[in-house]
Amino acid sequence: MTVRHLLLVLTATGLSGPALAQYKVVDADGRVTYTDRPPVAETARVSPLGRSGAPAAGSAAAEVGLPFELRQLSARFPVALYTGANCTPCEAGRQLLRQRGVPYTERQIVSDEDSAALERLSGGRTIPSLTVGSQALRGFNPADWSSYLDAAGYPRDSRLPRGWTPPPATPLVARAPATPAAPPVPAEPVRPATPPPPADAPNPTIRF
């Protein structure tokens, strides 16, 4: 359905804008199309729309430009990579996912809370770890990782759009914003003790 056709339909029904559309599609030539069906063109830039025609709240910005096939796979079998600092196997895991063109999110293990959450999630505290849907893999094993990605249906050759990058890595356990400390209360200045008044000296002129 072209933009002109859609506008004619909306005008006839007393509506305006892409209120009935669920997707806004921008093709390689810059043409914009609103549609209520998921597009299949891999070169198009797709933005899910809310009821008002604006981009849907909560849609992942990193997935807007993904081909339709990868959007479906990442919705059914989301891939998450769990990493730590100064971890050479973690970087090898990133490279495997990037070479295959697998959309993924990265969660960092930077605290005891993160380690405990990873253990609950995967059954251990090994990094890197990978989850493909509900399946958890501990430690970097290229053959195992590739087998699970194959089983989920991810292509072996990258089909990611040029320039696509994963979302920034975040800690596994969300951190509450730090509450600013209250300013210290200034101490009362130390004042010297007031000496007691001197005792009345006897009057030498008075005799008994």
Side-chain angles (χ1 to χ4, degrees):
M1 180 180 292
T2 64
V3 176
R4 181 178 179 183
H5 187 193
L6 180 62
L7 290 176
L8 290 175
V9 173
L10 295 178
T11 302
T13 57
L15 300 174
S16 61
L20 297 180
Q22 298 180 20
Y23 301 93
K24 174 185 176 182
V25 182
V26 182
D27 63 19
D29 296 327
R31 291 190 295 268
V32 179
T33 303
Y34 295 96
T35 176
D36 59 352
R37 296 182 180 181
V40 296
E42 295 187 357
T43 58
R45 187 170 72 253
V46 182
S47 301
L49 300 177
R51 296 181 61 182
S52 64
S59 59
E63 294 189 1
V64 169
L66 292 181
F68 177 63
E69 175 190 8
L70 290 180
R71 291 203 314 276
Q72 283 191 316
L73 288 172
S74 62
R76 294 179 59 193
F77 305 106
V79 175
L81 175 65
Y82 303 87
T83 64
N86 303 319
C87 172
T88 300
C90 298
E91 180 57 29
R94 291 188 194 97
Q95 291 299 327
L96 184 149
L97 296 175
R98 291 170 183 170
Q99 289 172 1
R100 286 193 56 147
V102 176
Y104 70 95
T105 56
E106 182 174 341
R107 311 302 295 275
Q108 295 177 324
I109 309 303
V110 296
S111 69
D112 290 339
E113 289 180 303
D114 294 328
S115 297
L118 178 63
E119 185 173 13
R120 291 191 297 269
L121 181 70
S122 66
R125 301 193 178 198
T126 305
I127 56 172
S129 288
L130 186 76
T131 54
V132 182
S134 60
Q135 299 295 322
L137 305 172
R138 297 194 302 272
F140 178 59
N141 185 314
D144 286 349
W145 287 26
S146 294
S147 295
Y148 277 87
L149 293 171
D150 290 342
Y154 282 98
R156 296 192 176 187
D157 298 321
S158 179
R159 300 180 186 176
L160 290 174
R162 181 177 300 177
W164 185 92
T165 56
T170 57
L172 179 53
V173 178
R175 303 288 188 267
T179 303
V185 178
E188 290 287 339
V190 178
R191 297 177 181 177
T194 303
D200 293 338
N203 190 336
T205 61
I206 300 178
R207 298 177 183 271
F208 293 93

